Amino acid sequence: MLKSLFIQNYALIDTLDIRFGKGFSVITGETGAGKSIILGAIGLLLGQRADSKAIKNGASRCVIEAVFDLSAYNMQDFFAKNDLDFDGTECIVRREITSAGKSRAFINDTPASVALLKELGEMLIDVHSQHQNLLLNKENFQLNVIDILAANKEDTTLYKTLYADYKQTEKKLEQARLAAEKAREEEDYIAFQLEQLENAALKAGEQEMLEQESEMLTHAEEIKQILYQAENLLDNEQNGIVNALKETAHLLENLQRIYPDSNELAERANSCYIELKDLTGEISSRTENVEFNPERLEYVNERLNTIYELQQKHRVNTLEELIRTEEEYRKKLDAITHGEEHIQALQSQRDHAFRLMKEQAARLTALRQKAAVLAEKQMKEKLIPLGIPNVQFKVELTQKDMPDETGADRINFLFSANKNSQLQPISQVASGGEIARVMLSLKAMISGAVKLPTIIFDEIDTGVSGSIAEKMAHIMKEMGNCNRQVISITHLPQIAALGHTHYKVYKEDHPDGTTSHIVQLDEKGRIEEIAHMLSGAVLTDAAINNAKELLNHSQSHAK
């Protein structure tokens, strides 16, 4: 419930601070006095787009703040989910707009996005303006009304999940079919490339080994000659290093008798002799193993040429990349070979998902059919007292060729104000006054199913007057008696007289501009305001008496 509204520097408002009560309240005032300005400010609290042009001339920023009483509504989950402070009773929503075009929003003093503000606003206030009457022509609005009456939120949520699963599986199937078709077009090419790579019998690490072997075979004579020279330097009879080291070690060993310190030197010389003797043997062995083999060199170079050509052809730099390319071709060919099996599996999944979706759609249809019967009954009960005694109202529910995200049902509200007239879509045959009464009846009907704290009607009485307006006021007042706050902006005295609380919006002209104000009227103020609504600008005794009588009649009727 909206407890209070504070507006500062918005449009024609300097400062406005007003408290609202429970039940049915009315707001009156001359055209242009500022009622729409107040609605615009509330709209900003509900997440509507901010415009710096709305800031009062001369001000640097505007502030709109509302306090809501949520003690009767279980909204703890929303605040917990969005990490917002909440004491279980009150909620403060604030919106600030600067002349630079910046906008900030707060929920219980915690910064909030406009999207979050909108989400919260949809749970706090429903503002019904005149343009909303056009919604009657929208199928999704009519479907939403029936779904609210059907109380099928859980079933609708489940259906949307199943529908999304079906669409996702169908998308995968279509992608698999397109991929298979494209793959089949490339099958011969892929098979040829794979055969060529398989025939090459590539092995990991092979390229590096072959390149090393090719280098060795190419320079075999040079390698053999250098190894022989190295061996000769180490071990020849005249001046070989190995023999010299052996003789050195022998001399140092003989010296130990007269020079004990030579023992360590002898050991080191002997160790070097053993190492060099082993090195000489290794060089000799490798010298014998190195041979110029033209046939082997030719094979190695041909093998390397095969690898290089394949790398160039497939635009890769390493043998490992080439092996991966071979595996990719193998997988593609395997996918083509087994593609039909994959498609059949996806078809089975798609058909299963479609079956589950259709079954849930049928459940929704059954719930909507029951709700449609209830809607027809309640709408007639509400519209007959509102001056349409021969009303015909029918909820036409037909099946779509293919279910979509809302289900398998197409909803159309059919209407006729006359007993023998053919039923037609309501937006095509209902007058402005009839549409206003239909919308009020719909709002009254669905408000019982939706725990919405506050409903604001902006001149929903357009096109009606007299006793019909009074009956519409009684409906709004009844809605306000159900632990709900209903506020009606009206130009009709019959509606104004039935409000529990009456507010008047007026504007004042000053030398430096015009300002709008709102005030809660006392009994005397209500009489004068309703008298003005009855007679115009000139306040006559007759108008005063008529106003008193209208108020007395409304109060006694309420009792």
Side-chain angles (χ1 to χ4, degrees):
M1 184 187 79
L2 178 62
K3 290 179 66 176
S4 64
L5 178 66
F6 173 81
I7 304 173
Q8 186 178 57
N9 297 329
Y10 179 73
L12 299 179
I13 297 173
D14 278 330
T15 300
L16 180 151
D17 193 355
I18 191 75
R19 297 188 66 81
F20 293 93
K22 296 180 180 180
F24 179 44
S25 300
V26 294
I27 299 176
T28 61
E30 296 180 1
T31 300
K35 299 186 295 296
S36 61
I37 295 174
I38 295 173
L39 280 180
I42 292 175
L44 288 175
L45 292 177
L46 302 181
Q48 292 181 6
R49 189 176 69 86
D51 189 347
S52 60
K53 294 178 182 178
I55 300 175
K56 197 173 191 305
N57 288 335
S60 60
R61 70 167 188 163
C62 73
V63 178
I64 300 124
E65 182 177 283
V67 179
F68 294 90
D69 179 2
L70 304 182
S71 56
Y73 300 88
N74 297 321
M75 295 182 63
Q76 291 87 343
D77 290 346
F78 171 83
F79 288 87
K81 181 182 73 173
N82 294 288
D83 197 23
L84 297 169
D85 292 334
F86 184 51
D87 61 7
T89 56
E90 279 191 350
C91 171
I92 302 172
V93 180
R94 186 169 77 255
R95 188 88 180 268
E96 299 177 2
I97 306 165
T98 68
S99 55
K102 294 183 178 179
S103 170
R104 298 195 302 168
F106 301 86
I107 299 174
N108 287 340
D109 290 328
T110 300
S113 66
V114 173
L116 187 60
L117 208 65
K118 185 175 182 180
E119 185 180 350
L120 175 61
E122 289 175 350
M123 294 186 285
L124 296 177
I125 299 180
D126 175 31
V127 179
H128 179 89
S129 57
Q130 292 183 53
H131 77 271
Q132 273 197 311
N133 290 340
L134 298 175
L135 290 174
L136 273 178
N137 196 31
K138 304 294 184 182
E139 183 183 333
N140 58 348
F141 171 78
Q142 298 179 6
L143 179 62
N144 189 46
V145 169
I146 297 303
D147 279 343
I148 289 173
L149 292 177
N152 60 6
K153 187 174 181 179
E154 290 184 3
D155 286 280
T156 302
T157 301
L158 176 57
Y159 172 80
K160 288 180 178 179
T161 300
L162 294 173
Y163 178 78
D165 290 344
Y166 161 69
K167 294 299 289 184
Q168 186 178 21
T169 309
E170 187 178 46
K171 183 179 179 180
K172 287 181 180 178
L173 175 60
E174 182 62 22
Q175 289 173 340
R177 283 172 171 164
L178 291 173
E181 183 177 345
K182 184 178 179 181
R184 278 192 292 270
E185 294 173 356
E186 300 176 345
E187 184 175 4
D188 290 342
Y189 170 80
I190 293 171
F192 174 75
Q193 301 302 325
L194 178 60
E195 183 181 10
Q196 192 177 42
L197 287 167
E198 286 180 337
N199 289 340
L202 303 171
K203 298 176 183 178
E206 178 185 12
Q207 182 177 353
E208 185 179 354
M209 292 173 60
L210 288 171
E211 286 172 342
Q212 290 176 357
E213 187 178 359
S214 174
E215 190 72 15
M216 187 188 72
L217 289 170
T218 301
H219 300 88
E221 291 296 335
E222 181 182 356
I223 294 169
K224 193 175 186 74
Q225 183 180 359
I226 291 172
L227 287 173
Y228 177 77
Q229 289 176 353
E231 181 186 358
N232 192 49
L233 285 171
L234 287 170
D235 189 14
N236 64 66
E237 294 181 357
Q238 295 180 354
N239 57 356
I241 298 172
V242 173
N243 288 331
L245 263 175
K246 183 179 180 181
E247 184 62 29
T248 301
H250 182 68
L251 289 171
L252 291 171
E253 287 173 355
N254 292 335
L255 188 61
Q256 292 179 49
R257 182 174 55 80
I258 57 175
Y259 183 58
D261 288 348
S262 67
N263 181 55
E264 181 186 353
L265 298 174
E267 289 179 354
R268 291 174 64 186
N270 197 48
S271 177
C272 289
Y273 164 73
I274 294 170
E275 178 63 25
L276 284 179
K277 184 72 175 174
D278 184 65
L279 177 61
T280 302
E282 183 70 22
I283 291 174
S284 176
S285 174
R286 295 201 180 192
T287 303
E288 293 176 2
N289 290 334
V290 174
E291 293 182 3
F292 176 63
N293 187 339
E295 293 180 359
R296 177 64 183 174
L297 178 60
E298 183 180 4
Y299 168 79
V300 169
N301 286 339
E302 286 180 358
R303 182 68 176 160
L304 283 172
N305 286 336
T306 298
I307 293 173
Y308 294 151
E309 288 172 1
L310 288 172
Q311 286 174 343
Q312 185 177 14
K313 178 178 181 178
H314 295 283
R315 298 179 182 179
V316 297
N317 298 316
T318 67
L319 182 65
E320 285 66 30
E321 290 178 298
L322 205 55
I323 292 173
R324 284 199 294 270
T325 300
E326 178 184 349
E327 185 59 30
E328 288 171 6
Y329 280 128
R330 188 173 290 110
K331 287 179 180 179
K332 286 181 179 180
L333 199 61
D334 185 65
I336 295 171
T337 305
H338 299 91
E340 193 59 36
E341 296 176 10
H342 179 57
I343 289 173
Q344 288 177 357
L346 284 174
Q347 283 177 333
S348 297
Q349 292 179 28
R350 190 274 313 269
D351 293 344
H352 179 67
F354 182 76
R355 192 160 50 251
L356 292 177
M357 178 195 69
K358 284 280 286 183
E359 290 172 357
Q360 185 61 20
R363 294 189 193 97
L364 277 181
T365 297
L367 292 170
R368 287 166 176 169
Q369 287 171 338
K370 292 180 180 178
V373 174
L374 177 65
E376 293 170 355
K377 179 176 179 292
Q378 290 190 4
M379 286 297 289
K380 289 177 183 177
E381 291 173 351
K382 293 181 183 300
L383 288 171
I384 289 173
L386 291 179
I388 315 179
N390 296 317
V391 64
Q392 297 182 71
F393 184 88
K394 181 173 178 59
V395 179
E396 184 182 60
L397 194 149
T398 56
Q399 293 290 293
K400 299 172 183 175
D401 294 336
M402 181 67 183
D404 58 19
E405 62 273 6
T406 64
D409 308 304
R410 184 173 287 109
I411 300 290
N412 196 7
F413 288 172
L414 303 179
F415 175 85
S416 174
N418 304 307
K419 184 182 296 185
N420 298 319
S421 297
Q422 184 177 355
L423 284 163
Q424 295 185 52
I426 191 167
S427 59
Q428 298 178 13
V429 294
S431 66
E434 288 168 344
I435 285 179
R437 282 173 274 180
V438 168
M439 286 302 292
L440 176 62
S441 299
L442 284 174
K443 291 281 183 176
M445 187 169 60
I446 64 179
S447 66
V450 179
K451 292 184 177 180
L452 196 66
T454 300
I455 301 176
I456 300 176
F457 290 105
D458 180 19
E459 298 184 9
I460 197 171
D461 47 36
T462 300
V464 298
S465 59
S467 61
I468 301 303
E470 182 181 352
K471 290 174 181 176
M472 290 178 70
H474 278 293
I475 290 176
M476 287 186 278
K477 189 167 187 175
E478 183 181 344
M479 292 169 66
N481 289 335
C482 300
N483 197 28
R484 187 181 294 107
Q485 182 185 51
V486 177
I487 300 172
S488 175
I489 298 173
T490 182
H491 287 294
L492 298 181
Q494 292 88 349
I495 292 179
L498 271 168
H500 295 120
T501 313
H502 190 157
Y503 302 91
K504 178 182 178 180
V505 177
Y506 65 97
K507 63 182 179 180
E508 291 182 331
D509 294 321
H510 306 283
D512 56 347
T514 302
T515 57
S516 289
H517 305 273
I518 184 170
V519 63
Q520 182 177 338
L521 299 177
D522 57 16
E523 185 176 358
K524 181 175 180 297
R526 290 193 74 178
I527 292 172
E528 291 180 356
E529 174 67 5
I530 292 173
H532 278 300
M533 295 173 75
L534 287 166
S535 65
V538 179
L539 200 60
T540 64
D541 290 339
I544 291 288
N545 291 330
N546 285 339
K548 289 179 179 178
E549 184 178 347
L550 188 58
L551 278 168
N552 290 333
H553 170 72
S554 298
Q555 291 172 1
S556 62
H557 194 280
K559 294 176 183 178

